Amino acid sequence: SKAQFAGITIEKRPIELSVFIKKQLLQQSVSIDRKNIEVSLNIEPLEVYFDENHLRIILRNILQNAIKFSQKGGEISLSSKAYSAREALLEICDNGIGMTPEKLNQIREGTNSLSEIGTLDEVGFGLGLLISSQFLNENEGRMEVDSTLNQGSCFRLYLPRPLN
């Protein structure tokens, strides 16, 4: 995947996060509807300073995982707020199958690249979170992950805000 992005320059610009998130949710609506997942939004209007393509890939990967590992009738919540003058916080949480402590440590360390089957036998490549972490780093953002087996996962993205 790195080879595909070699030579591509990062083009950071201000992005209205609430509008961007709603577009990404709309693109995932078929998968959300198929599992009858309840999505709740608590999103403040604010701008982040990020490469638009990178942010799209990050949100798509995390949303797809939340959907993939949620049961039918599950819940996903998205919230955003100004974390500080320099950072916005975007939280994406689900009440899905969660992760073992070992899997969670692999994700935190960036050593996991094995695909896992979703609750409706959805498949993937296992690279989404690795790519997301790389793109966050390249845009001066960061990610924290918490998860409990059989209770769900919560991804917290700290995204840079435009300097005033």
Side-chain angles (χ1 to χ4, degrees), residues 69-71 74-75 94-101 103-104 116 119 146-154:
F69 297 115
S70 289
Q71 302 289 355
E75 298 174 10
D94 64 66
N95 67 344
I97 62 173
M99 294 179 256
T100 65
K103 175 83 171 173
L104 187 57
E116 297 200 12
T119 58
D146 288 315
S147 185
T148 304
L149 193 61
N150 300 318
Q151 293 183 19
S153 301
C154 191

Side-chain angles (χ1 to χ4, degrees), residues 33-75:
D33 292 344
R34 188 174 72 163
K35 284 190 166 182
N36 195 30
I37 293 173
E38 176 78 26
V39 177
S40 63
L41 294 175
N42 184 16
I43 304 207
E44 292 182 10
L46 56 93
E47 286 188 332
V48 295
Y49 192 65
F50 219 86
D51 180 281
E52 184 174 347
N53 291 322
H54 287 181
L55 187 57
R56 183 178 301 109
I57 291 167
I58 292 165
L59 286 180
R60 182 178 61 224
N61 284 328
I62 293 174
L63 282 172
Q64 284 176 341
N65 280 348
I67 296 164
K68 178 179 176 179
F69 297 115
S70 289
Q71 302 289 355
K72 280 192 169 190
E75 298 174 10

